[in-house]
Amino acid sequence: MPAHRPRTPRPRHLSLALALSGILLAALAHPAGAATVPARGSAHLGVGVLAHDGQDGTPTGGDATQTEGVDVSAYQGNAAWSTLWSSGVKWAYTKATEGTYYTNPYFAQQYNGSYGVGMIRGAYHFATPDTTSGATQANYFVDHGGGWSRDGRTLPGVLDIEWNPYGASCYGKSASAMVSWISDFLSTYRSRTGRDAVIYTATSWWSDCTGNSSAFASANPLWIARYASDPGTLPAGWGFYTMWQYTSSGPTVGDHDKFNGALDRVVALANG
């Protein structure tokens, strides 16, 4: 039987080189500070507000001429509508769709649950202008919960157009191409429902990605996003906001909003 040959020790400099190579490969695979791209479908109203605009205070006091609301998505799961109603929330928007590839699995509980406790409710669509046309997404939205009914308690649909959580902030579009995409969505939504959709956006995104277009201010109500003590400067053309998302850290449901008017004005928007 041959004698066992002892293993030749690996030179220390070689072991060190191999270890450093492993560290380098790991660093290349997972660069320090690299952001993880969220899963498609996970976006929601205000997904980019804190990262891009930050937070600067909260509204002061309760204004009798404003009406409290909330907005929800799958992130909130089964929302506690009775608790929200008791806290003074009188209207709510629920995410229905995103792009043409996602529908909110909690939509029925959220959309019907808010209605069931007495709230005035509506649905919103998270736009992804880099995936399909505005018309295609408007049709998908209407076909999956984003329609409108003349029952006095259903608000017109919302186009949530803001920072892209999956890539380039403006979805790779020029300002003129973005305005065309938005126009395509809004005109299709109106033809399908008879209502002008609400536009949800942030002034900084709107300025960067549409060139601060004033093309929609005369027909489409504005829902402005700004986590501060006031809504600040509005996008071009709009002299006032209809709704204002003022925080992502409110009670029961984080995303809280104010309607710029008393409850009868919320009803008026629902009635068209």
Side-chain angles (χ1 to χ4, degrees):
M1 184 175 181
H4 177 70
R5 179 179 295 175
R7 183 180 178 186
T8 303
R10 177 182 290 167
R12 290 187 61 190
H13 67 273
L14 179 58
S15 297
L16 179 60
L18 290 171
L20 289 174
S21 297
I23 293 171
L24 178 60
L25 289 172
L28 290 172
H30 303 285
T36 301
V37 177
R40 285 276 179 177
S42 62
H44 54 85
L45 281 169
V47 66
V49 173
L50 282 174
H52 293 272
D53 281 354
Q55 182 170 325
D56 183 20
T58 55
T60 56
D63 190 337
T65 64
Q66 294 185 322
T67 307
E68 193 75 6
V70 296
D71 57 270
V72 295
S73 65
Y75 178 77
Q76 281 81 20
N78 292 322
W81 294 114
S82 295
T83 301
L84 287 162
W85 175 262
S86 298
S87 72
V89 174
K90 301 304 178 188
W91 60 276
Y93 266 99
T94 296
K95 180 180 179 180
T97 51
E98 177 179 320
T100 52
Y101 49 79
Y102 174 85
T103 58
N104 176 7
Y106 291 92
F107 182 76
Q109 191 276 345
Q110 295 174 343
Y111 189 70
N112 298 328
S114 56
Y115 190 90
V117 298
M119 292 183 192
I120 301 170
R121 52 83 191 272
Y124 77 84
H125 172 80
F126 190 91
T128 56
D130 58 338
T131 60
T132 46
S133 71
T136 299
Q137 292 192 31
N139 282 317
Y140 186 80
F141 177 42
V142 174
D143 292 341
H144 295 86
W148 176 77
S149 58
R150 192 182 296 276
D151 60 3
R153 288 178 56 198
T154 300
L155 294 159
V158 171
L159 171 63
D160 176 4
I161 186 80
E162 56 174 303
W163 295 278
N164 178 11
Y166 313 117
S169 290
C170 299
Y171 300 86
K173 291 190 174 295
S174 66
S176 60
M178 183 64 76
V179 169
S180 294
W181 192 97
I182 294 170
S183 179
D184 194 28
F185 182 100
L186 296 175
S187 61
T188 303
Y189 185 83
R190 180 173 177 78
S191 71
R192 288 289 307 274
T193 66
R195 293 299 307 271
D196 288 306
V198 174
I199 293 175
Y200 169 98
T201 195
T203 300
S204 61
W205 184 91
W206 190 263
S207 179
D208 290 344
C209 297
T210 73
N212 206 21
S213 173
S214 60
F216 311 105
S218 62
N220 300 95
L222 173 66
W223 188 352
I224 193 67
R226 186 168 187 258
Y227 303 161
S229 56
D230 61 70
T233 302
L234 302 180
W238 281 284
F240 61 91
Y241 65 90
T242 298
M243 291 170 281
W244 167 28
Q245 187 189 53
Y246 66 88
T247 185
S248 61
S249 56
T252 309
V253 165
D255 293 351
H256 273 246
D257 312 88
K258 292 187 180 297
F259 191 96
N260 193 12
L263 184 59
D264 66 323
R265 303 317 302 159
V266 185
V267 174
L269 181 60
N271 286 326

